[in-house]
Amino acid sequence: MADLIEIAGRFALNAAPVEVKPLGEGFINDTFVVTTDGPRRYILQQKNKSVFPDVPAMMDNIAAVTAHIKKKVADPLRETLTVIPAADGKLYHQDDEGEYWAVCLFIEDTVTYDVVSSAEMARQGGIGIGRFQALLADFDRPLAEVIKGFHNIRWRFTQWDGSLKADKAGRAASVAEEIAFVEERRARMLAFWKLVEDGVLPRRVTHNDTKLSNILFDKSSGEVLCAIDLDTVMSSTSLNDVGDAIRSYANATVEDDPDYGKVALRLDMYEAYMDGYLSERSGSLTASEKEWLAFAPLYITYEQVLRFLMDYIDGDTYYKIRYAGHNLVRTRSQMALLRSMEANYGAMQDIVRKLLYKFE
Ligand code: GN1
Ligand code: MG
């Protein structure tokens, strides 16, 4: 294990690091909290270089986007991440083993959640992503594509077809039912992505990983503070940010609950989230975006089924797993969620229509 205090000391902290402790359970990066002998704490992350092939470009994206947001908000140190450069001025430190590290300020008096506990929390989450997109609506620098074809289902099918063919872990035959579930929906999902390819749905600056646990809430007021985990900020359809959020905000349970009977789309939480989001964004969305808004959660949940299942078939090489078969449990749990969304799609469309009318 790398000497974490030594690594933290490579960054331009305003006091000496004294303790480094693990934080949370990201699926991708390793995250730590750094305590110093001054008042400030910091977040230290080892960025996963097999997931992010160009960490310096990713850090450039994050620095540019947060600098843009800081110019517009009342409290720039709390309302977005603050990237702390290394002492040599770079936005990251590369250690002797070639691993990439990055630091940002720890935002105090905040809290994150995995499952929503009230409609107001869901509404606040919607406001958070709506505001994030609004703050970046006039951001006009090109952003690096940090992960190729991240929410592009056509590219995901290219990977998927390759994984099935290679069947590296010899697991494909054992998940025939799950594979069939993916295949049955292939054409419908490609048709949605084609709208992005054809420019019917515009590309905007998007967060691309908007699950509930990536949003900071203010501890005392309970109000949304900002979106964190900006690793995947890129240009895509803004609908995907809503879709990915609904996957967690409106799920009655966690995304990898092995008790599939507990998984369900909660329409009350869906409505609350959409109310918050549209209160910020309804005036800026195009007619096509409005038309397809209710479909986005189905698209992103489907993509997540495909990605979890593909990782299971590949032999668990992308997502960190806590136990054997974790990726298959994730797959089945998200399949249950997608089925529930499909059953509720008409109701979701009605809610969007009602809210668009409300904010007209
Ligand atoms: C990953 O980094 P984290 O844990 O917030 C993943 C998302 C998935 C999510 C599933 C870069 O998010 O796309 O939706 O897990 N991020 C990347 O929980 O692949
Ligand atoms: Mg992430």
Side-chain angles (χ1 to χ4, degrees), residues 6 9 56 193 202 234 245 304:
E6 191 268 336
W193 187 253
M234 282 180 273
Q304 200 64 69

Side-chain angles (χ1 to χ4, degrees), residues 26-29 45 47 51-52 150 207-209 211 214 228-232:
F27 289 5
I28 307 287
N29 301 316
Q45 271 195 322
K47 300 288 188 181
V51 168
F52 301 109
F150 193 55
H207 181 284
N208 294 306
D209 192 3
K211 62 182 176 187
N214 281 337
I228 54 171
D229 188 358
L230 303 179
D231 292 352
T232 49

Side-chain angles (χ1 to χ4, degrees), residues 72-106:
K72 299 181 169 187
V73 293
D75 190 345
L77 291 184
R78 282 178 68 73
E79 291 180 55
T80 190
L81 293 180
T82 302
V83 177
I84 307 293
D88 63 9
K90 292 204 184 89
L91 298 172
Y92 56 87
H93 165 67
Q94 195 172 22
D95 69 18
D96 297 339
E97 273 119 62
E99 296 298 335
Y100 284 98
W101 299 84
V103 168
C104 64
L105 208 57
F106 185 97

Side-chain angles (χ1 to χ4, degrees), residues 64-311:
V65 159
T66 52
H68 189 87
I69 294 177
K70 281 177 193 302
K71 282 189 261 163
K72 299 181 169 187
V73 293
D75 190 345
L77 291 184
R78 282 178 68 73
E79 291 180 55
T80 190
L81 293 180
T82 302
V83 177
I84 307 293
D88 63 9
K90 292 204 184 89
L91 298 172
Y92 56 87
H93 165 67
Q94 195 172 22
D95 69 18
D96 297 339
E97 273 119 62
E99 296 298 335
Y100 284 98
W101 299 84
V103 168
C104 64
L105 208 57
F106 185 97
I107 307 177
E108 301 288 348
D109 305 314
T110 57
V111 53
T112 60
Y113 304 94
D114 288 317
V115 179
V116 278
S117 51
S118 70
E120 180 53 20
M121 187 187 288
R123 200 180 67 88
Q124 287 292 326
I127 292 175
I129 285 303
R131 218 171 261 165
F132 179 84
Q133 292 180 353
L135 285 164
L136 292 165
D138 60 343
F139 181 90
D140 55 7
R141 275 185 38 182
L143 287 167
E145 188 178 19
V146 290
I147 296 179
K148 181 180 158 70
F150 193 55
H151 287 321
N152 170 344
I153 207 70
R154 193 182 302 286
W155 171 244
R156 294 296 183 186
F157 282 127
T158 304
Q159 296 178 316
W160 165 260
D161 293 338
S163 287
L164 286 187
K165 200 161 163 222
D167 194 14
K168 271 190 281 184
R171 292 175 175 171
S174 67
V175 288
E177 246 177 69
E178 289 76 9
I179 292 174
F181 179 95
V182 169
E183 293 298 345
E184 278 157 23
R185 290 159 178 82
R186 184 192 279 245
R188 189 180 190 200
M189 300 300 160
L190 275 170
F192 173 79
W193 187 253
K194 185 144 192 322
L195 299 171
V196 180
E197 290 170 332
D198 291 349
V200 176
L201 293 172
R203 286 180 184 269
R204 303 177 186 273
V205 177
T206 47
H207 181 284
N208 294 306
D209 192 3
T210 51
K211 62 182 176 187
L212 173 58
S213 57
N214 281 337
I215 298 290
L216 283 189
F217 292 83
D218 185 276
K219 213 181 245 170
S220 48
S221 70
E223 284 177 12
V224 67
L225 193 59
C226 62
I228 54 171
D229 188 358
L230 303 179
D231 292 352
T232 49
V233 167
M234 282 180 273
S235 142
S236 187
T237 162
S238 57
L239 303 192
N240 285 344
D241 279 355
V242 175
D244 204 11
I246 295 305
R247 212 171 58 72
S248 55
Y249 285 86
N251 189 349
T253 185
V254 288
E255 72 175 347
D256 58 350
D257 196 328
D259 185 352
Y260 309 129
K262 280 210 268 174
V263 179
L265 178 88
R266 295 191 51 175
L267 279 175
D268 53 348
M269 296 302 167
Y270 176 74
E271 176 156 0
Y273 188 91
M274 297 310 286
D275 188 293
Y277 178 75
L278 287 172
S279 71
E280 297 285 328
R281 295 297 289 153
S282 69
S284 314
L285 298 180
T286 66
S288 320
E289 285 176 310
K290 291 175 184 169
E291 188 186 334
W292 286 95
L293 195 51
F295 188 72
L298 283 72
Y299 177 83
I300 287 289
T301 305
Y302 174 85
E303 180 200 299
Q304 200 64 69
V305 169
L306 183 153
R307 289 172 62 200
F308 284 149
L309 182 56
M310 185 162 71
D311 199 32

